[in-house]
Amino acid sequence: MNVNGVPYRTIRVADDGWSVEIIDQTALPHEFRLVRLTAVDDTAKAIQTMQVRGAPLIGATAAYGLALAMRADPSERAFDRAAERLLATRPTAINLRWAVERMRAVLRRTPATDRPETAYREAALIAEDDVATCRRIGEHGLALIRDAASRANGKPVQVLTHCNAGWLATVDYGTALSPLYQAHDAGIPIQVWVDETRPRNQGSALTAWELAAHGVPHTIVADSAGGHLMQRGAVDLCITGTDRTTATGDVCNKIGTYLKALAAFDNGVPFYVAVPHSSIDWSVREGGDIPIEERDASEVTHMTGRTAEGAMVSVEIAAPGSPAANFAFDVTPARLVTGLITDRGVCPATEAGLRLLYPEAAGAA
C-alpha cells in the first residue's frame, strides 16, 4: 500500500541485505517511522511491544527474526533458543507458532552452513504467501460488497470493522480491509465505521490512518456505538479479522469483537470474518481452549496522544489506585458468524465449511 505516494510493506529486508526494516506502529498515526531490527531479541521486543502487531504480520516478523538468529549462529541449539524466545511474546495469535514451525521444518533438513540463506529465503516466502493470501481474501470479500451495493440503491455500502485488520496488520493488503480497498478501487461507494478499539485504539489510530491514506471514506466511532448504528440501519455488514480460528469456526479476535457479533445477530446484520489460512488452528475445536493474552493494566488506565503543541504524552484516565484488567482478545462462537472469508472462498463458520476449502487439513490434529 502507499504512504504519501510511496509504496511500502510493513516488513522487508533492508538495503544492507540482511537487517530487517519494520514500520513502528507505536508511533502511528502521528509519526511514520521505520525501525531496523538486527537480532532476534530486537524482533521479539518489536512483537511484544506491538511495534509490529496483527496475527499475519507477527508470523512474518517471527520468521525474519529466526533468519537473523541463523545469521548469528546457525546451530540447532540457537534456533531452539530463538524459537522459544519468540513464542513467548504473544500467546494468542496462532500465526506466530505456524511461522516458527514452518521455519523449523525447513531448517531441520538444511545443513548448518546453508541455514542463514535458507532462513531468509523461507521468511521471504512466508511474507509473499501472506501478500497473496490477503489479496485473494480481498477478491472473495469484494463479491459480498458488490452484492450489498446491488441492494443499496446507489447509496454507499456501510461496513463496520473492529480493531485493525488492514495492511498494517499483515505484510500488505490486509484481511478485513482488503475487500474494502478493492471495492473502493473498483469504484463501489463505501463508508467504513471504524471502532476506536480500546484500550490501544488500533481502530482510531491505525485503521483510520491507513483508510485516510488510501482515500477511503470512513468515520471513527466509540466502541459502544456499533449496536446503535445497527439498530438505525446504518450498517450493511460487519467484517473483522481473526488472530485464531478453531477447526469448528469459533473466532478469537481483539477484545470487543464478540459484542459486535451479538449486536449484529440481534439486528440481522451479516457478520463476516476474514481468515488467512495461517490463522486457522486445526488442533483446537473449542474457542474456550484458546489462551487469551492479558496485557499490562497501564494500557487501560493510561492513554497516549498528541497535545495541541505537538508533544506526545501519556496521561492517566482512570481513578488513581483502581486496579484494571486488560484482556486483549475474546472469542466469538461460530453460531454468530455469517461466514468466513478465506483465500479460497467464503464458507460457513463450520468444520465442514472449512474442510471443504482446505481438504489437505483432514489429517490435522
Side-chain angles (χ1 to χ4, degrees):
M1 305 298 287
N2 292 333
V3 179
N4 298 323
V6 179
Y8 282 92
R9 286 184 175 181
T10 53
I11 189 168
R12 72 179 189 97
V13 175
D15 292 338
D16 59 19
W18 67 272
S19 65
V20 178
E21 192 174 74
I22 61 167
I23 296 171
D24 183 358
Q25 298 191 35
T26 62
L28 292 171
H30 305 298
E31 180 185 356
F32 182 77
R33 182 167 66 204
L34 301 177
V35 171
R36 185 167 164 258
L37 310 177
T38 61
V40 67
D41 282 346
D42 295 342
T43 310
K45 180 182 177 183
I47 295 171
Q48 200 153 27
T49 63
M50 297 180 73
Q51 287 180 301
V52 294
R53 26 75 48 208
L57 179 56
I58 288 172
T61 304
Y64 276 113
L66 292 170
L68 290 170
M70 292 296 91
R71 182 178 184 271
D73 179 354
S75 69
E76 288 190 23
R77 184 177 180 183
F79 179 92
D80 290 341
R81 283 199 306 265
E84 184 178 0
R85 173 80 173 92
L86 290 164
L87 288 170
T89 56
R90 303 289 306 274
T92 300
I94 193 60
N95 306 63
L96 174 57
R97 182 169 294 278
W98 171 85
V100 168
E101 293 308 319
R102 174 167 163 172
M103 294 288 286
R104 189 192 305 275
V106 170
L107 294 173
R108 257 186 188 156
R109 58 179 185 263
T110 303
T113 53
D114 297 335
R115 282 177 189 156
E117 180 182 355
T118 300
Y120 275 98
R121 183 168 61 249
E122 191 65 20
L125 289 174
I126 286 173
E128 290 302 326
D129 175 84
D130 181 63
V131 173
T133 293
C134 291
R135 177 180 52 77
R136 290 193 294 267
I137 285 173
E139 292 169 354
H140 295 302
L142 175 59
L144 299 173
I145 296 177
R146 286 192 190 279
D147 183 58
S150 70
R151 301 189 301 273
N153 298 319
K155 296 179 181 178
V157 177
Q158 301 190 89
V159 183
L160 184 140
T161 190
H162 188 66
C163 195
N164 173 256
W167 71 273
L168 288 171
T170 66
V171 178
D172 209 347
Y173 288 103
T175 56
L177 295 193
S178 184
L180 306 185
Y181 286 129
Q182 295 197 34
H184 175 76
D185 291 347
I188 299 172
I190 61 172
Q191 155 67 27
V192 185
W193 296 109
V194 179
D195 284 350
E196 60 183 345
T197 321
R198 286 276 293 142
R200 291 189 63 93
N201 299 325
Q202 294 103 318
S204 58
L206 303 179
T207 295
W209 179 82
E210 61 171 273
L211 289 174
H214 202 74
V216 180
H218 64 282
T219 303
I220 299 168
V221 293
D223 282 357
S224 52
H228 168 73
L229 292 170
M230 294 180 209
Q231 284 180 328
R232 294 171 62 90
V235 179
D236 295 307
L237 68 159
C238 303
I239 308 179
T240 75
T242 176
D243 287 80
R244 190 185 304 207
T245 296
T246 70
T248 56
D250 291 344
V251 173
C252 183
N253 194 49
K254 179 67 179 181
I255 194 76
T257 303
Y258 173 49
L259 296 180
K260 298 302 180 299
L262 285 171
F265 185 81
D266 190 53
N267 288 279
V269 175
F271 186 92
Y272 291 96
V273 179
V275 183
H277 64 85
S278 56
S279 292
I280 304 171
D281 188 348
W282 298 101
S283 70
V284 174
R285 300 186 59 80
E286 301 293 334
D289 293 333
I290 297 173
I292 300 298
E293 179 182 1
E294 295 185 42
R295 295 183 59 82
D296 194 279
S298 65
E299 294 180 351
V300 174
T301 60
H302 291 69
M303 187 177 291
T304 300
R306 186 170 63 178
T307 68
E309 293 74 28
M312 295 298 299
V313 297
S314 177
V315 298
E316 187 174 21
I317 60 173
S322 291
N326 186 8
F327 305 102
F329 302 92
D330 60 24
V331 174
T332 298
R335 62 182 175 82
L336 299 178
V337 179
T338 305
L340 305 175
I341 310 170
T342 79
D343 52 306
R344 297 187 183 178
V346 181
C347 71
T350 63
E351 183 172 14
L354 281 168
R355 293 196 183 276
L356 184 65
L357 293 182
Y358 299 95
E360 71 276 16

